[in-house]
Amino acid sequence: MPSLRFCGECNNLLYPKSDNNAKILLYQCRNCQYAENAHPEPGMAPCVYKNDLLTIAREQAGETKDLETDPTLQRSNIECPKCSNHEAVFYQDQARRITTNMTLFYHCTNCKYLFRDPKIKHR
């Protein structure tokens, strides 16, 4: 079980950070300049830290409830791929990543199925 480490100067939590030039792993305070080498404690495995910014998350809609009764949402006559109903409310949402495009989500008023426009190519 990993242990928490605290700053020796301001007592805040230390976070893992890599020093790419020295090719070492550090624990560093986010509030002051304190840093220490990430030596494993006796009997513990060495700490490994990976910050992967290139992972592409697929676009997913946020949590939706009672969208079909929301009078502020626009309506469309797009066909639902699940029940073939021709009425859906729609809204735009963006995934958590800054680099992703906005996505148009449709919510069927009949079966409450959430879908995207099948005519638009999605990654």
Side-chain angles (χ1 to χ4, degrees), residues 15 69 105:
Y15 293 90
T69 60
F105 290 99

Side-chain angles (χ1 to χ4, degrees), residues 66-75 89:
D66 301 325
L67 289 177
E68 65 279 355
T69 60
D70 188 342
T72 63
L73 291 176
Q74 295 184 9
R75 303 199 176 257
V89 295

Side-chain angles (χ1 to χ4, degrees), residues 2-122:
S3 62
L4 297 176
R5 295 183 186 217
F6 296 92
C7 178
E9 295 179 10
C10 66
N11 293 325
N12 283 300
L13 188 63
L14 295 177
Y15 293 90
K17 181 179 189 282
S18 64
D19 181 349
N20 294 332
N21 294 332
K23 297 190 186 269
I24 58 172
L25 184 65
L26 303 170
Y27 282 109
Q28 184 170 9
C29 181
R30 291 186 179 171
N31 297 317
C32 69
Q33 298 301 317
Y34 181 81
E36 63 183 41
N37 285 337
H39 297 294
E41 295 178 16
M44 300 291 288
C47 179
V48 176
Y49 174 70
K50 181 178 180 181
N51 187 10
D52 186 6
L53 296 176
L54 299 177
T55 303
I56 299 173
R58 185 173 173 153
E59 297 156 340
Q60 295 179 350
E63 186 175 328
T64 56
K65 292 183 180 178
D66 301 325
L67 289 177
E68 65 279 355
T69 60
D70 188 342
T72 63
L73 291 176
Q74 295 184 9
R75 303 199 176 257
S76 171
N77 61 357
I78 191 169
E79 183 176 338
C80 173
K82 189 173 181 181
C83 72
S84 299
N85 183 38
H86 284 276
E87 185 181 16
V89 295
F90 63 95
Y91 60 96
Q92 285 186 328
D93 196 7
Q94 184 176 20
R96 293 182 182 97
R97 308 257 330 199
I98 296 172
T99 59
T100 59
N101 296 329
M102 293 293 284
T103 303
L104 195 59
F105 290 99
Y106 292 89
H107 183 85
C108 178
T109 58
N110 183 46
C111 69
K112 299 175 180 39
Y113 181 64
L114 186 64
F115 61 97
R116 294 181 285 177
D117 191 342
K119 297 174 197 160
I120 299 174
K121 301 257 185 207
H122 303 285

